[in-house]
Amino acid sequence: MVLQKAPKRNIIWGYASTVSSMVTVTLSGHPPVTTQVVDFPMAGKATWKVQLSPVSDPGPYEIYVESVDGNIQIVDILFGDVWLCSGQSNMEFTLPQALNASQDMVDSYNYHNIRVFTVDLKTSDNEEYDLLGVMEHWSVPSNATVGYAPWQYFSAVCWLYGKYLYQHLKYPIGLISSTWGGTPIEACSSKDAIAQCGGDNEREEVSRFPDPDLSKLAAKVGTNQLWNAMIHPLLNLTIYGVVWYQGKSNAGNPEKYKCQFPAMINDWRAKFYVGTLGEVDSKYPFGFVQLAPNRNDPTITTGFPDLRWAQTADYGYVPNPIMPKVFMAVAMDLPDFDSPYGGFVHLRLVMHASIRTIRENAC
């Protein structure tokens, strides 16, 4: 895996069978840290949690966990920047579906200091403490781990973004993909964020602007279902930033989206800050891809065009007073109308736009 490098610190946590017993966690080359197991009703189990010392050197390292229940050893841990990638099918769109996919998958073997992780498609009516499923555990890039199958793993935007970051930064990058095609922003927003914008109407929006991957959209997915099961369990994780690509399923109500998007960003930032005991920056970099055109029809003047404006909270640019330390990859001029999967963009050009804007506005 990749954990966030210094000056930030990482939280390591887990379960145990005996309340009040002791757990010792040792990061190779660092003093051991001992903590007591406590009863934690939200998790439904006895849990323990420690905070590691900040680590600057990329590694690799090992972590040893010792308790009355037994011992665990985690190997090949790197320290660098950890990015969370989320959204709907624009982000879920996988590398095998992209142009020059075979070339990219072969090239992935050259990036063993990037590690990838894919959250499984799960929903919940309640905020979960732990992930309900993992589609792809932390993996070294290969043909199988970044190019497994269409709509499975790994996110093309997330992979190419992380690859481009690594090429420029020259230190480990951790990429976590937590996405679900066809979903509105309400599904990935907490109740607190939703309340700021007056409830939800995601059912109408999904039906009016269908996603090409709508076949995987379970009828159960509604307001904050994905937040509960696929984002909330990550709040203990120290991340560097987030990349987001979504908007099609909210194009029916762009006026509301201009409230919903900043509200979700601010809420995610606040909750990651609290969940990591202040280690995640309260205004961490949040990047998004501008919603690309869906059809080659210049007469379309509502819906997607309005949503693009709403993505910037009606400013037309980011960062802005409502959306500080937010960066945007402009994709309005990068559609791929010939894609058999719908209106997706030329990803490599998006990555160039992303790296430029993140270095100028977000770091």
Side-chain angles (χ1 to χ4, degrees):
M1 70 179 75
V2 172
L3 297 178
Q4 184 59 42
K5 69 182 182 69
K8 302 301 183 180
R9 296 180 293 177
N10 294 272
I11 292 173
I12 303 295
W13 64 273
Y15 302 120
S17 62
T18 307
V19 174
S20 298
S21 64
M22 305 304 293
V23 174
T24 299
V25 179
T26 306
L27 175 68
S28 53
H30 292 74
V33 182
T34 299
T35 189
Q36 190 173 50
V37 176
V38 299
D39 185 26
F40 190 42
M42 183 177 184
K45 305 176 184 178
T47 64
W48 53 268
K49 179 188 293 188
V50 301
Q51 194 171 43
L52 300 179
S53 301
V55 179
S56 299
D57 186 79
Y61 293 87
E62 297 182 358
I63 289 178
Y64 306 90
V65 183
E66 303 171 271
S67 76
V68 295
D69 295 313
N71 302 327
I72 295 174
Q73 180 182 15
I74 308 172
V75 301
D76 196 14
I77 300 168
L78 304 178
F79 283 81
D81 285 342
V82 180
W83 286 86
L84 171 60
C85 303
S86 191
Q88 58 181 116
S89 69
N90 311 70
M91 185 64 78
E92 192 180 21
F93 185 87
T94 44
L95 194 59
Q97 299 168 272
L99 295 174
N100 301 316
S102 58
Q103 176 183 332
D104 275 311
M105 287 186 284
V106 170
D107 187 48
S108 68
Y109 289 90
N110 296 318
Y111 294 90
H112 59 274
N113 282 344
I114 302 176
R115 305 295 164 83
V116 296
F117 181 98
T118 307
V119 175
D120 202 2
L121 302 175
K122 298 292 183 180
T123 64
S124 178
D125 294 326
N126 303 301
E127 292 184 335
E128 300 292 340
Y129 187 67
D130 200 359
L131 292 172
L132 298 179
V134 175
M135 187 179 295
E136 177 184 31
H137 290 272
W138 281 111
S139 303
V140 176
S142 70
N143 186 72
T145 62
V146 301
Y148 176 69
W151 302 120
Q152 294 296 309
Y153 52 80
F154 189 70
S155 163
V157 170
C158 194
W159 168 251
L160 293 173
Y161 178 70
K163 175 179 171 180
Y164 203 59
L165 283 177
Y166 179 80
Q167 290 170 341
H168 285 75
L169 300 175
K170 307 299 184 185
Y171 57 70
I173 300 293
L175 301 172
I176 299 171
S177 177
S178 185
T179 68
W180 194 320
T183 52
I185 195 170
E186 294 91 337
C188 287
S189 301
S190 73
K191 290 182 179 179
D192 295 333
I194 290 171
Q196 295 181 43
C197 303
D200 71 273
N201 60 349
E202 76 276 2
R203 299 297 183 189
E204 174 188 351
E205 292 152 7
V206 168
S207 61
R208 185 176 173 188
F209 292 92
D211 192 289
D213 191 34
L214 202 59
S215 61
K216 290 170 61 178
L217 176 60
K220 187 179 178 183
V221 175
T223 298
N224 82 310
Q225 288 275 337
L226 305 189
W227 159 263
N228 288 343
M230 298 176 65
I231 303 297
H232 189 270
L234 302 174
L235 295 184
N236 284 336
L237 179 68
T238 303
I239 62 173
Y240 183 84
V242 169
V243 179
W244 174 263
Y245 195 179
Q246 188 271 342
K248 289 190 289 183
S249 292
N250 290 91
N253 195 343
E255 186 67 19
K256 191 170 186 179
Y257 197 86
K258 76 178 183 182
C259 172
Q260 293 171 313
F261 193 31
M264 189 200 78
I265 293 172
N266 292 336
D267 186 70
W268 279 29
R269 284 171 165 172
K271 287 181 167 56
F272 269 100
Y273 177 83
V274 172
T276 59
L277 306 178
E279 292 300 321
V280 170
D281 196 309
S282 61
K283 285 186 172 59
Y284 60 72
F286 193 106
F288 69 92
V289 182
Q290 181 190 57
L291 188 60
N294 192 41
R295 295 190 299 275
N296 189 14
D297 185 353
T299 66
I300 297 175
T301 58
T302 61
F304 278 33
D306 295 327
L307 198 282
R308 292 185 200 106
W309 192 255
Q311 285 180 303
T312 66
D314 282 5
Y315 277 84
Y317 60 87
V318 290
N320 60 52
I322 295 179
M323 305 171 76
K325 292 195 74 173
V326 173
F327 62 99
M328 173 175 65
V330 176
M332 182 177 176
D333 58 339
L334 303 176
D336 184 3
F337 296 124
D338 295 326
S339 169
Y341 303 102
F344 290 93
V345 301
H346 294 295
L347 297 175
R348 284 161 189 78
L349 297 179
V350 170
M351 296 312 106
H352 282 271
S354 296
I355 193 71
R356 182 181 68 249
T357 51
I358 186 176
R359 299 185 96 181
E360 292 174 354
N361 300 317
C363 291

